Amino acid sequence: MKNTDIQIIAQVKKLLAETSRNISIIPHENPDGDAIGSAIGFAEVLTGFGHHVNIISPTEYPDFLKWFSSERKILVYSKEKRIAEEILRQSDILICVDFNEAKRAGKLEKSILKYANPKILIDHHPYPSDFCDYTISETGYSSTAELIFDVVKAIGLGGFITKKSAEALYTGILTDTGSFSHGTSNPNTFQVVSELMKFGIAVEKIQSGVYHNFSADRMKLLGYCLNNKMVVYPELRTALISISKQELLDFNFKTGDTEGFVNFPLSIANIVFSTIFIEKDGIIKASFRSKGNFHVNHFARDHFNGGGHRNAAGGEIKLTLDETIDKFAQLLPAYKHQLLETEI
Ligand code: 5GP
Ligand code: MN
């Protein structure tokens, strides 16, 4: 952990040293494998040590993250607002995982900001904002899950890692690295994976749980998007997919169905920038992926109120789908030079 002062670790250790505290863990809205895996992994460790832990997800999370051996219930704030608020109110400590600005918690933003007890942040995205009392922000990590493993050891709770927590943390690393295909330049990632494997986790079962757990409708939606909705700009090394609300309805959309779609165009030779726009209620949700040195987090921050990592970022904008596509097409030429220079 390069960025984290050892004093912060010592303070977090002290904060968690007395057992039987009520702890709430919050991942970001529309949580992905890293957010859920980090939350479950840390919750299992803290529970094993003797704390009472609840996970509150701001919004629903996909079925492909509902197979964990941990029987832990994840409260979904958008569905169980009152219970979630009560649990948050009664908790002594709040831990935010896999996001670094309060607005990424969606409707829980205000509750997080006004939360009066100690707040801990554990995250690996660049440009953290200062809304927690103890910030562990490490951009050199592949995933928050990998970071949680190191934090757990650093605060002396390594002995409470079990197969259930190892499985959840492995899932976070697996999904945030696209099955170890990006963000894995640091040997620590594989060292942590090797440690996690010692708990006897079934990596093939996890692979199937995450990647072979979709509905036929989702596969058809993917086929439809690639066949009918993908626009390639070869001279700009860019591809764009857009999906309207009606199209989602036509394919019986469920949370998580479009996860990963944005990665497919990057497998076209010479494409370095891939974008997907998805129409949601009143907003367009954007996801960006890139190869090499093309910073999609800067693109997301500058034009789509978003952020993320260099090669994987997202954002949102209050325009219609057609207006968003027009805006994107108008923005692209200014990036032509950078896109052509990008080495892969
Ligand atoms: P995804 O495209 O899978 O939703 O997200 C990719 C990356 O971008 C993740 O690291 C995620 O945290 C970040 N990201 C996605 N949406 C937003 C957003 O609206 N705001 C910010 N700041 N980051 C986002
Ligand atoms: Mn992550």
Side-chain angles (χ1 to χ4, degrees):
M1 281 177 272
K2 286 201 184 110
N3 303 334
T4 312
D5 199 298
I6 46 167
Q7 276 190 340
I8 298 277
I9 294 291
Q11 285 162 350
V12 169
K13 183 175 179 173
K14 201 168 157 214
L15 197 61
L16 297 172
E18 189 189 318
T19 56
S20 296
R21 312 300 307 272
N22 288 318
I23 299 176
S24 292
I25 301 183
I26 298 184
H28 56 77
E29 68 173 341
N30 305 316
D32 57 7
D34 191 28
I36 293 292
S38 296
I40 293 180
F42 205 16
E44 286 292 333
V45 170
L46 293 170
T47 304
F49 178 60
H51 291 300
H52 309 295
V53 188
N54 281 289
I55 301 172
I56 307 170
S57 172
T59 53
E60 183 57 280
Y61 62 104
D63 282 352
F64 64 78
L65 296 174
K66 289 184 179 168
W67 49 266
F68 289 96
S69 7
S70 164
E71 295 90 25
R72 185 167 293 282
K73 175 171 160 46
I74 296 181
L75 269 165
V76 176
Y77 180 76
S78 53
K79 284 187 354 199
E80 297 178 276
K81 202 166 165 216
R82 220 165 282 154
I83 303 172
E85 267 165 5
E86 190 51 35
I87 282 174
L88 197 55
R89 212 177 359 256
Q90 284 176 11
S91 67
D92 309 305
I93 298 163
L94 170 61
I95 306 175
C96 299
V97 295
D98 201 38
F99 64 102
N100 64 11
E101 45 180 352
K103 81 169 172 95
R104 287 283 289 141
K107 295 244 157 56
L108 272 168
E109 175 183 5
K110 282 206 185 96
S111 312
I112 292 177
L113 290 176
K114 68 169 198 251
Y115 185 81
N117 289 329
K119 277 182 268 194
I120 303 170
L121 176 92
I122 307 180
D123 179 62
H124 71 133
H125 293 93
Y127 315 115
S129 67
D130 190 15
F131 67 98
C132 288
D133 308 293
Y134 307 94
T135 297
I136 301 176
S137 167
E138 293 287 339
T139 53
Y141 277 74
S142 69
S143 48
T144 299
E146 180 192 337
L147 176 58
I148 296 231
F149 180 85
D150 281 358
V151 170
V152 163
K153 286 212 310 200
I155 60 174
L157 298 185
F160 295 92
I161 300 174
T162 58
K163 188 174 171 182
K164 286 180 186 174
S165 42
E167 178 191 75
L169 295 178
Y170 176 85
T171 302
I173 301 173
L174 177 79
T175 52
D176 253 29
T177 59
S179 298
F180 308 105
S181 67
H182 51 77
T184 52
S185 51
N186 190 336
N188 189 61
T189 306
F190 292 100
Q191 267 151 17
V192 169
V193 166
S194 132
E195 291 292 316
L196 294 173
M197 297 225 15
K198 290 179 189 156
F199 291 91
I201 57 173
V203 293
E204 286 170 24
K205 189 193 113 192
I206 297 173
Q207 191 76 18
S208 287
V210 175
Y211 294 111
H212 307 155
N213 212 351
F214 295 117
S215 64
D217 280 329
R218 187 260 185 189
M219 294 306 285
K220 288 179 185 175
L221 177 61
L222 171 62
Y224 171 75
C225 285
L226 296 178
N227 200 20
N228 298 334
K229 302 303 306 273
M230 182 174 71
V231 180
V232 181
Y233 305 85
E235 72 293 353
L236 293 162
R237 306 176 80 193
T238 297
L240 168 68
I241 294 172
S242 58
I243 317 176
S244 70
K245 236 170 104 177
Q246 186 56 49
E247 287 165 327
L248 292 177
L249 284 173
D250 291 345
F251 287 87
N252 302 315
F253 173 80
K254 276 184 73 189
T255 302
D257 277 358
T258 53
E259 192 80 27
F261 281 17
V262 65
N263 296 314
F264 282 89
L266 281 187
S267 58
I268 302 169
N270 216 30
I271 295 297
V272 295
F273 182 27
S274 173
T275 294
I276 190 164
F277 293 133
I278 302 173
E279 188 182 18
K280 300 265 155 100
D281 288 319
I283 58 146
I284 303 299
K285 180 72 198 155
S287 280
F288 305 104
R289 298 292 185 271
S290 68
K291 288 186 179 164
N293 208 26
F294 188 71
H295 284 69
V296 281
N297 51 352
H298 298 170
F299 188 86
R301 180 194 62 200
D302 294 345
H303 309 294
F304 290 87
N305 313 302
H309 305 281
R310 183 184 67 178
N311 297 127
E316 53 189 47
I317 194 157
K318 279 200 177 97
L319 292 175
T320 66
L321 190 55
D322 285 341
E323 286 165 352
T324 310
I325 296 167
D326 284 349
K327 176 186 164 101
F328 183 73
Q330 281 165 25
L331 282 170
L332 272 185
Y335 289 87
K336 185 168 184 172
H337 186 66
Q338 274 186 50
L339 289 162
L340 294 184
E341 296 278 291
T342 298
E343 283 181 31
I344 46 175

